[in-house]
């Protein structure tokens, strides 16, 4: 722990709360930084500029750590089946909450993680960022509603959280090659 008065007010800043991360073989670099900090702070008259330079390096290093996954990042599937990944759990949560206007950040918080880590998990699992996964789910649900309900396309767009019917139509045509109305007619 570092005393707040010796921390520089520069970018990048130090984390505001305790941090756990994986150093992946760079332990000696981190140890060297801590040794330099200790040497500088135990001198009778520490050089503040040198200390701030070292602390700046430490802040940059800490900001790049890969977060340690918590047990809550993996969910046990029922009946002892293989564990469900964070990305899969996000996909299920997002699909259930699409019509509530829930954001990726809110779902990440519910899962005990942050959007950066969630993006990495989604990229690893699906080759897409979390927001792209969510948008794909939104379009899939809209397509399902067009096939199986009598709601108008404009109402479906509104219900699924698209900013406007025109926006929904652009996204839909880009993804399927047809308008929502044409898709509905062809799928029935």
């Amino acid at each position: 722990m570092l005393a707040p008065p010796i921390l520089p007010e520069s970018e990048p800043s130090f984390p505001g709360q305790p941090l756990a991360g994986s150093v992946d073989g760079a332990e000696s670099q981190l140890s060297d930084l801590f040794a330099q900090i200790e040497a500088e702070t135990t001198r009778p008259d520490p050089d503040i500029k040198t200390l701030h330079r070292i602390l700046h390096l430490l802040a940059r290093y800490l900001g790049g750590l890969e977060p340690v996954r918590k047990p809550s990042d993996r969910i046990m599937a029922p009946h002892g089946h293989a564990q469900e990944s964070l990305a899969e759990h996000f996909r299920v949560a997002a699909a259930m909450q699409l019509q509530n206007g829930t954001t990726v950040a809110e779902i990440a918080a519910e899962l005990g993680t942050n959007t950066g880590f969630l993006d990495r998990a989604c990229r690893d699992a699906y080759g897409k960022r979390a927001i792209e996964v969510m948008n794909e789910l939104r379009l899939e649900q809209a397509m399902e509603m067009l096939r199986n309900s009598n709601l108008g396309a404009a109402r479906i767009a509104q219900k699924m959280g698209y900013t406007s019917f025109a926006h929904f139509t652009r996204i839909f045509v880009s993804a399927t090659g047809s308008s929502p109305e044409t898709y509905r007619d062809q799928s029935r």
Side-chain angles (χ1 to χ4, degrees):
M1 299 303 269
L2 299 170
I6 67 167
L7 297 178
E9 292 184 20
S10 64
E11 287 295 322
S13 61
F14 277 86
Q17 55 192 8
L19 167 73
S22 173
V23 294
D24 290 335
E27 296 89 356
S28 65
Q29 293 169 329
L30 191 56
S31 292
D32 289 346
L33 284 173
F34 284 125
Q36 289 176 29
I37 291 168
E38 181 180 11
E40 197 58 47
T41 57
T42 57
R43 287 180 39 178
D45 59 345
D47 180 3
I48 297 300
K49 285 185 179 182
T50 300
L51 184 57
H52 281 198
R53 181 185 54 77
I54 297 166
L55 291 173
H56 178 78
L57 289 172
L58 179 61
R60 287 186 58 199
Y61 186 81
L62 292 175
L65 287 179
E66 180 71 26
V68 171
R69 292 184 74 159
K70 301 179 292 229
S72 65
D73 288 343
R74 295 191 62 81
I75 312 302
M76 259 324 249
H79 311 299
H81 292 288
Q83 288 186 335
E84 185 178 70
S85 74
L86 174 61
E88 291 165 344
H89 195 66
F90 166 73
R91 191 175 180 89
V92 169
M96 291 175 19
Q97 298 180 42
L98 278 176
Q99 294 183 29
N100 301 340
T102 306
T103 66
V104 170
E106 290 168 336
I107 295 172
E110 285 176 19
L111 298 175
T113 190
N114 60 49
T115 56
F117 191 56
L118 186 57
D119 273 343
R120 280 192 294 277
C122 287
R123 276 195 195 111
D124 290 347
Y126 309 119
K128 301 172 185 167
R129 294 179 51 223
I131 190 67
E132 293 168 314
V133 171
M134 189 175 233
N135 287 336
E136 185 177 87
L137 290 168
R138 179 175 284 115
L139 185 63
E140 287 172 8
Q141 282 191 17
M143 292 169 74
E144 179 72 20
M145 293 171 108
L146 286 166
R147 284 192 304 268
N148 300 316
S149 79
N150 292 323
L151 286 175
R155 177 69 180 116
I156 290 172
Q158 179 186 29
K159 192 171 175 125
M160 295 310 302
Y162 288 95
T163 56
S164 69
F165 180 63
H167 177 241
F168 171 61
T169 301
R170 279 192 305 276
I171 298 292
F172 199 91
V173 169
S174 175
T176 67
S178 63
S179 71
E181 292 87 357
T182 303
Y183 177 83
R184 172 176 267 164
D185 292 341
Q186 291 174 346
S187 65
R188 288 189 168 182

